[in-house]
Amino acid sequence: MLGIIRQRIAHQGINASGMQIQALLCASRSYSSGAKEMTVRDALNSALDEEMSADPKVFLMGEEVGEYQGAYKISKGLLDKYGPERVRDTPITEAGFAGIGVGAAYYGLKPVVEFMTFNFSMQAIDHIINSAAKSNYMSAGQISVPIVFRGPNGAAAGVGAQHSQCYAAWYGSCPGLKVLTPYSSEDARGLLKAAIRDPDPVVFLENELLYGESFPVSAEVLDSSFCLPIGKAKIEREGKHVTITAFSKMVGYALKAAEILAKEGISAEVINLRSIRPLDRAAINASVRKTNRLVTVEEGFPQHGVGAEICASVVEESFEYLDAPVERISAADVPMPYAANLERMAVPQIEDIVRAAKRACYRSVPMAATA
């Protein structure tokens, strides 16, 4: 594949760098067909392993990533293979090790910094935003910061408000960062590889409840050269009556909602965003122009959320195509409750997506009419 791309570049007379060639290679491998099964945990582990093997500048650091093999076993086996110099256990001090990681990236290394939960990245937000995200612009392009901040994001189960927040909108609002949100094993492998190879800081938001889930992967996905282009969404299911956008765990909910809707004659198109920043506005608007309706789904808070940004994009670019108001499904506007029954009420459920899609398709009584 790489040889074909080099030939194409030479034929077109383009003087392309290795980074440009890699971007073309990623773009050529946007989608795949399924074959064997792989868990998201194994997909992330294999991506880290292959990138560390391919590039000695890549190293992993964070709490319990070494001797304990990762709080969620994402780094299983990496300490034995690469040693403590490249798989570094850190104290419980996010500000400290995130700052060390940014400094290493300034020097030309490629750190992968793991947060045990992205809620704890708040301890390191000065380094992530002021030191990492802004340096390339403030140095007029002289300083690159090739660093990945990764770990579980959003709600798990019974872990309380301080371990359950979704930070996609927070980091997605900051120029200089790229923000990726994998759903499937293919996403996890392809996007993590792309993140590690990228010259800019990347916030990589995983989901704890997805780590153990298995997804079909093809031989192409398992190839060590596989990666996915940053900023490109994937249409997980094609439809013609309503567009449903989602990311991370909510993609699975959206797909299940689409199955229920199909039984009632509603054809839903499900878009897996994959990337929050940059956001694939072109794919979203193209879908809305086809279906004329939009439902956005996220685990984050409603105000200033990812769905709000998508809604603004569609209103700006495709307003005349809308046949119904945009429906936004999000978490409740409260910190996450601890009690299991309240927790379920605070996060989006499949039935919420089904009801919203029906409202958009005028198959049910609007909420305002029942108030």
Side-chain angles (χ1 to χ4, degrees), residues 185-198:
S185 300
E186 176 183 330
D187 290 355
R189 262 184 68 80
L191 292 176
L192 185 54
K193 282 173 164 287
I196 293 171
R197 299 174 192 182
D198 198 89

Side-chain angles (χ1 to χ4, degrees), residues 6-145:
R6 288 186 186 278
Q7 290 174 15
R8 186 179 302 169
I9 289 172
H11 177 71
Q12 295 175 350
I14 300 172
N15 183 18
S17 67
M19 193 174 297
Q20 289 170 317
I21 293 172
Q22 184 61 57
L24 286 169
L25 182 60
C26 286
S28 71
R29 296 177 177 271
S30 299
Y31 307 102
S32 70
S33 57
K36 64 175 289 186
E37 296 268 320
M38 178 182 246
T39 65
V40 170
R41 176 181 288 107
D42 289 341
L44 293 167
N45 176 267
S46 63
L48 279 168
D49 185 8
E50 290 170 10
E51 293 306 301
M52 291 180 74
S53 177
D55 189 343
K57 293 181 179 180
V58 179
F59 71 97
L60 176 66
M61 66 190 305
E63 297 152 355
E64 299 184 343
V65 299
E67 295 290 345
Y68 191 67
Q69 303 194 76
Y72 305 97
K73 300 298 179 276
I74 304 300
S75 53
K76 185 177 181 180
L78 298 183
L79 176 64
D80 290 341
K81 187 170 183 179
Y82 298 103
E85 289 296 310
R86 295 184 65 194
V87 182
R88 304 192 68 93
D89 281 319
T90 67
I92 305 174
T93 168
E94 284 78 13
F97 64 74
I100 291 170
V102 173
Y106 282 172
Y107 189 72
L109 300 178
K110 297 181 179 180
V112 178
V113 175
E114 177 178 310
F115 295 120
M116 200 174 290
T117 163
F118 253 90
N119 295 262
F120 300 161
S121 74
M122 294 295 94
Q123 297 287 332
I125 198 166
D126 179 54
H127 292 301
I128 296 170
I129 293 179
N130 281 328
S131 300
K134 299 176 181 177
S135 292
N136 185 263
Y137 180 85
M138 293 180 71
S139 68
Q142 297 180 78
I143 300 176
S144 293
V145 192

Side-chain angles (χ1 to χ4, degrees), residues 162-209:
Q162 294 176 343
H163 298 73
S164 300
Q165 190 167 328
C166 175
Y167 288 92
W170 281 50
Y171 288 118
S173 68
C174 183
L177 290 177
K178 293 172 182 174
V179 182
L180 305 181
T181 54
Y183 160 61
S184 64
S185 300
E186 176 183 330
D187 290 355
R189 262 184 68 80
L191 292 176
L192 185 54
K193 282 173 164 287
I196 293 171
R197 299 174 192 182
D198 198 89
D200 297 316
V202 178
V203 171
F204 197 85
L205 303 175
E206 301 157 11
N207 185 284
E208 180 184 339
L209 298 178

